[in-house]
Amino acid sequence: MNKVSDRLNNLSISETLAMTDKSRQLQAKGIDIINLSIGEPDFNTPDHIKQAAQKAIDDNFTHYTPVQGFADLRQAISNKFKNENNLDYAPDQIIVSTGAKQSLANVILCLANKDDDVLIPAPFWVSYSEIVKLAEAKSVIIKTNIEDKFKVTPQQIEEAITPKTKIFLFNSPSNPSGSLYSKEELKAIADVFAKHNDIFVISDEIYEHINFIGKHESIGQFENIKDQVIIVNGVSKSYAMTGWRIGYIGAPKWIAQACKKLQGQITSGASSISQKAACAALNGGLDTVYEMKEVFRKRRDLVFKLLSEIRGIKTFVPDGAFYFFPDISFFFGKSVDKITINNATDLCMYLLNNAHVATVTGSAFGDPNCIRLSYATSEDNIIEALKRIKTALDKLN
Ligand code: PMP
Ligand code: GLU
């Protein structure tokens, strides 16, 4: 008997995690799968951060933590906002959570009423629309084009706004497209919301340090919408700390307090040890971050070169994050050995079963013509994976 709630029945599984699960299962059976599905740095957490965690255990930071996060960590985040982003968020405007995913869920659940509209440009990160469903709100998807590097225009946003719009939710640098918005583009978007001061802008900036063209620009810098903006960030991507589960927001105080209230009933404060590690990460300078970024840049160039050699793939050089989101619709309707590719999900399964390379279907990101490849893996893996993908795709006719 299955009696799960309608809420759960309506929820999709996280395709990024599901594909990673599938490839782990195949690997456990001895199949040599190359995993380009998960978006997580393949580096280990830097030593000085691990040492801070070890010290936290020795110093008996083993008890419940304040729901909003340790004071020293919130001060470090406040300093980070000022020094890296020139944003003013006092510690009481900051809430630490168990990952940026929880931070996003907190904010959406705290702001969205049943049937409110949440505007989301597609392609978007898989969990956005699902968290919106949990809040019983409605995702209103704004479609973008590969020709515009999948970036939404102020005009498209303006046209999508209705009296039901409560939130605009976006991500720069973007997962899955790797695109990022310039200061001018962000200003034009901010100007739209300055005219609608009852709409909130959630800016997910988790990839801020993986930016290959310059300094990160935050939409939080524009004074005309400052009271409407919530910045979501975390240490997972910048410091190779995905398993530590620390994310945070900077927000108007009333939103921070609402998130604290919600979190206090669901998970309480984030892990004491991880918070001490995150504090060391944020106070420890950006050297390791820049080193990792340079490795990602080289891999990005390599993936672009190899993808360009494959017939039927349409893509561009992404400016940030560690993903490619190529259009693979050229292969729809093509077949090999009784296998016909009808959509992006078929193509992903074909690549998994026949090339032993795990990717993620674009459908999960709101664009069914694409697939996502993560290049957060070694150059050797990238070269071998792209060779296998090319061989498999060349067989389709
Ligand atoms: N936002 C985006 C766009 C992401 O890719 C991720 C990756 N997991 C998250 C938020 C959540 O990050 P975490 O929960 O690991 O902090
Ligand atoms: N954000 C990563 C991804 O998109 C990690 C998996 C997840 O949390 O969904 O692959």
Side-chain angles (χ1 to χ4, degrees):
M1 188 176 18
N2 184 343
K3 289 203 170 194
V4 299
S5 64
D6 295 344
R7 183 182 302 113
L8 247 289
N9 271 329
N10 290 335
L11 192 71
S12 305
I13 52 163
S14 163
E15 281 292 343
T16 46
L17 300 183
M19 205 53 179
T20 303
D21 240 17
K22 258 185 212 135
S23 48
R24 283 189 188 134
Q25 281 165 20
L26 292 172
Q27 277 162 346
K29 285 188 192 154
I31 302 173
D32 165 31
I33 301 289
I34 303 180
N35 189 358
L36 305 188
S37 69
I38 187 87
E40 81 166 327
D42 52 319
F43 307 106
N44 291 323
T45 304
D47 285 341
H48 69 282
I49 299 175
K50 292 195 280 199
Q51 280 153 14
Q54 281 153 2
K55 182 166 181 328
I57 297 174
D58 292 340
D59 290 349
N60 292 310
F61 283 99
T62 53
H63 301 268
Y64 282 134
T65 59
V67 173
Q68 67 274 29
F70 282 136
D72 57 349
L73 176 56
R74 284 179 299 114
Q75 186 61 55
I77 295 167
S78 174
N79 298 345
K80 171 251 163 336
F81 274 130
K82 187 70 198 162
N83 300 336
E84 295 176 13
N85 310 117
N86 199 22
L87 298 178
D88 292 303
Y89 287 108
D92 63 1
Q93 296 181 277
I94 289 163
I95 301 293
V96 175
S97 301
T98 301
K101 200 179 264 187
Q102 187 185 20
S103 302
L104 281 160
N106 279 347
V107 177
I108 294 168
L109 287 164
C110 283
L111 289 179
N113 277 316
K114 193 170 184 311
D115 297 330
D116 280 346
D117 282 354
V118 180
L119 301 186
I120 309 178
F124 49 81
W125 181 47
V126 290
S127 295
Y128 291 169
S129 50
E130 298 308 313
I131 297 172
V132 169
K133 269 192 211 164
L134 282 179
E136 296 185 78
K138 210 175 111 221
S139 296
V140 174
I141 305 302
I142 311 177
K143 202 164 162 16
T144 64
N145 302 311
I146 196 166
E147 289 73 22
D148 302 326
K149 292 195 172 180
F150 294 118
K151 288 195 268 188
V152 71
T153 63
Q155 195 190 339
Q156 282 180 298
I157 297 172
E158 192 78 75
E159 282 166 11
I161 290 174
T162 72
K164 292 178 87 180
T165 309
K166 182 73 180 274
I167 296 172
F168 173 70
L169 168 55
F170 84 119
N171 176 221
S172 175
S174 159
N175 175 3
S177 73
S179 289
L180 45 92
Y181 289 82
S182 67
K183 184 171 177 179
E184 292 67 36
E185 287 165 336
L186 291 174
K187 179 168 187 326
I189 293 174
D191 288 344
V192 172
F193 291 106
K195 288 185 271 169
H196 299 274
N197 60 13
D198 51 350
I199 303 178
F200 296 91
V201 175
I202 305 179
S203 179
D204 177 351
E205 303 184 9
I206 191 122
Y207 294 97
E208 70 167 318
H209 287 301
I210 310 170
N211 172 333
F212 307 120
I213 57 169
K215 150 176 157 326
H216 174 69
E217 298 290 350
S218 170
I219 198 160
Q221 70 187 286
F222 302 107
E223 282 303 319
N224 58 352
I225 58 160
K226 179 83 192 174
D227 294 342
Q228 294 157 254
V229 173
I230 301 96
I231 311 285
V232 174
N233 208 327
V235 294
S236 287
K237 315 289 169 169
S238 298
Y239 298 94
M241 290 179 69
T242 47
W244 299 80
R245 313 304 305 127
I246 296 290
Y248 56 86
I249 59 163
K253 205 166 152 184
W254 64 272
I255 296 178
Q257 277 169 347
C259 290
K260 176 180 169 188
K261 181 171 159 190
L262 176 64
Q263 189 166 293
Q265 292 290 20
I266 296 187
T267 54
S268 312
S271 147
S272 52
I273 300 152
S274 297
Q275 287 195 54
K276 290 292 171 193
C279 203
L282 292 166
N283 288 333
L286 292 170
D287 289 354
T288 54
V289 177
Y290 293 140
E291 278 164 31
M292 288 190 247
K293 182 175 79 171
E294 284 318 308
V295 176
F296 283 131
R297 184 203 302 275
K298 275 175 65 189
R299 293 176 183 171
R300 175 202 61 173
D301 295 343
L302 176 64
V303 175
F304 183 72
K305 178 177 160 290
L306 297 174
L307 277 180
S308 308
E309 291 164 7
I310 303 178
R311 165 197 70 143
I313 295 259
K314 195 156 104 188
T315 195
F316 57 86
V317 181
D319 292 325
F322 37 64
Y323 306 104
F324 277 76
F325 197 60
D327 183 313
I328 41 73
S329 56
F330 170 83
F331 298 99
F332 295 173
K334 297 199 173 359
S335 309
V336 61
D337 299 337
K338 294 197 187 137
I339 302 168
T340 301
I341 306 300
N342 290 313
N343 50 47
T345 308
D346 287 351
L347 193 84
C348 280
M349 292 319 293
Y350 171 66
L351 292 177
L352 182 66
N353 295 325
N354 294 273
H356 294 163
V357 178
T359 56
V360 187
T361 176
S363 317
F365 301 91
D367 191 329
N369 287 332
C370 297
I371 60 170
R372 189 189 77 173
L373 312 175
S374 158
Y375 55 88
T377 188
S378 69
E379 282 195 17
D380 285 351
N381 275 346
I382 289 171
I383 292 168
E384 176 61 21
L386 271 289
K387 191 172 108 193
R388 292 185 193 180
I389 291 177
K390 181 171 175 8
T391 307
L393 293 182
D394 281 348
K395 285 188 197 152
L396 291 168
N397 272 304

